[in-house]
Amino acid sequence: MQPKPAELEAVAGATATGSHQQELDRWRQACGADLVEFPTFEAFDVLTPMQKAMLARQARRSVEGNTLAEVEEAREGARRVYRLVSKVVLDEEDQARMEAAAIELDTLDEVLEERRASGTEPRR
């Protein structure tokens, strides 16, 4: 659904001044909330290049012969899994799950790009 011209003008006017950060600060001040800062650390890959390649092949094989709509559905499922497992990474097992989910998501993105570029649907 496309917004109406009046709605576009209202949003443009409301965002013409200030910034997203200023709006966040205004809301934080209004509710008395503070952001919680979590320490970050560099996470090294726990999957080997061979394991990554194998996961990419598995993701590609899982959608062989599927229609574009089916590949899009599989990609959406992979995106949901990635969002779930990437929320909190506590140990190597979590890191491996996140890496595997990222590989599947990236691979299905590649498959979608290839299918859209070729404009062909597989025969059933």
Side-chain angles (χ1 to χ4, degrees), residues 26-40:
R26 189 177 73 79
W27 277 88
R28 262 190 232 105
Q29 186 177 17
C31 68
D34 287 320
L35 285 178
V36 176
E37 297 278 336
F38 289 100
T40 59

Side-chain angles (χ1 to χ4, degrees), residues 3-61:
K4 297 176 181 143
E7 293 170 325
L8 289 172
E9 287 177 35
V11 170
T15 58
T17 61
S19 69
H20 181 70
Q21 186 61 50
Q22 288 172 326
E23 187 64 13
L24 286 174
D25 293 342
R26 189 177 73 79
W27 277 88
R28 262 190 232 105
Q29 186 177 17
C31 68
D34 287 320
L35 285 178
V36 176
E37 297 278 336
F38 289 100
T40 59
F41 61 94
E42 185 174 352
F44 298 97
D45 289 349
V46 295
L47 298 177
T48 66
M50 186 169 291
Q51 289 171 314
K52 291 178 181 184
M54 181 188 66
L55 288 168
R57 279 192 304 274
Q58 287 173 349
R60 195 170 277 278
R61 275 193 219 121

